[in-house]
């Protein structure tokens, strides 16, 4: 089982949105770094002396932000995919700056989901509609549990869809 698959399973164990965002951002970073070598010249000499040093732990391509900018600038991912990667990064940064862990029911997480291109531009926008209905329903306790459960499901789905989209776009 790959490291990305291990982390995807760890998403189910996250008990708050901050932890979820940390794991999902790690997944996105690993996916970008795993695919990045395929966009460069496929020559052993180039790989050894140029690509590997860029991708090592203390190399310049250590952050998701830098890697996504490079792949976007090379025309390998769409603006929507690049924006979603940046959104994950920004929301994590904000969540980490807060004194308390962000809960799945926090309005910020709802806004994060609603602003993702991967969810709103596809047939999967019904997840956003379902969240909207639960968020504003009148059955407070029951709805809160269902709402948080749906939030977790949609967050995991969006992460999986995003890494799949990254892979598809880079390998086009």
């Amino acid at each position: 089982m790959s490291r990305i698959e291990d982390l995807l399973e760890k998403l189910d164990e996250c008990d708050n949105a901050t932890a979820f965002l940390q794991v999902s951002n790690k997944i996105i970073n690993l996916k970008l770094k795993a695919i990045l070598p395929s966009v460069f010249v496929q020559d052993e000499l180039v790989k050894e002396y140029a690509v590997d040093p860029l991708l090592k732990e203390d190399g310049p391509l250590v952050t998701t932000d830098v890697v996504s900018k490079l792949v976007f600038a090379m025309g390998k991912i769409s603006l929507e995919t690049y924006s979603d990667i940046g959104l994950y990064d920004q929301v994590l940064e904000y969540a980490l700056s807060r004194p308390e862990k962000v809960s799945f029911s926090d309005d910020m997480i709802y806004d994060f989901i609603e602003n993702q291109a991967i969810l709103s531009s596809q047939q999967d926008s019904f997840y956003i509609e379902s969240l909207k209905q639960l968020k504003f329903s009148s059955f407070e306790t029951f709805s809160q549990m269902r709402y948080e459960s749906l939030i977790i499901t949609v967050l995991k789905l969006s992460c999986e869809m995003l890494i799949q989209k990254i892979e598809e776009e880079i390998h086009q």
Side-chain angles (χ1 to χ4, degrees):
M1 185 176 274
S2 77
R3 192 160 173 216
I4 292 173
E5 291 169 342
D6 288 342
L7 287 171
L8 281 169
E9 287 185 11
K10 287 200 183 287
L11 289 176
D12 293 327
E13 300 168 15
C14 295
D15 59 352
N16 60 65
T18 303
F20 191 98
L21 288 165
Q22 288 174 308
V23 173
S24 59
N25 272 277
K26 183 70 173 171
I27 292 168
I28 293 166
N29 185 282
L30 288 172
K31 177 52 87 176
L32 284 168
K33 285 183 174 180
I35 292 175
L36 193 59
S38 69
V39 303
F40 294 113
V41 173
Q42 298 301 304
D43 178 276
E44 284 303 313
L45 191 64
V46 172
K47 184 179 179 329
E48 181 180 347
Y49 291 104
V51 177
D52 290 346
L54 289 172
L55 296 174
K56 67 182 182 178
E57 202 59 41
D58 61 346
L61 299 180
V62 71
T63 66
T64 303
D65 183 51
V66 174
V67 176
S68 65
K69 282 180 181 170
L70 174 65
V71 177
F72 177 62
M74 294 173 75
K76 295 295 184 177
I77 60 173
S78 66
L79 176 59
E80 291 81 11
T81 301
Y82 172 71
S83 296
D84 279 351
I85 294 168
L87 186 60
Y88 264 90
D89 198 42
Q90 290 170 345
V91 172
L92 172 61
E93 190 176 310
Y94 177 74
L96 292 174
S97 73
R98 294 189 47 189
E100 295 178 8
K101 303 281 186 202
V102 176
S103 71
F104 287 112
S105 60
D106 192 294
D107 286 341
M108 177 194 72
I109 299 303
Y110 175 80
D111 292 340
F112 167 61
I113 289 171
E114 198 172 46
N115 287 308
Q116 290 182 45
I118 195 79
L119 290 173
S120 61
S121 65
Q122 298 191 5
Q123 71 274 11
D124 297 311
S125 63
F126 71 89
Y127 285 110
I128 294 173
E129 290 304 315
S130 298
L131 284 173
K132 202 177 288 186
Q133 289 174 2
L134 275 177
K135 182 174 177 60
F136 300 109
S137 70
S138 60
F139 301 110
E140 196 59 40
T141 306
F142 177 68
S143 292
Q144 187 65 25
M145 289 174 18
R146 285 182 55 207
Y147 176 70
E148 286 189 17
S149 177
L150 185 55
I151 285 278
I152 293 166
T153 300
V154 172
L155 284 172
K156 186 171 182 189
L157 176 67
S158 76
C159 181
E160 290 171 348
M161 289 169 60
L162 182 57
I163 62 171
Q164 181 180 358
K165 184 83 167 168
I166 291 167
E167 190 163 343
E168 288 171 4
E169 289 182 356
I170 289 178
H171 286 116
Q172 282 186 20

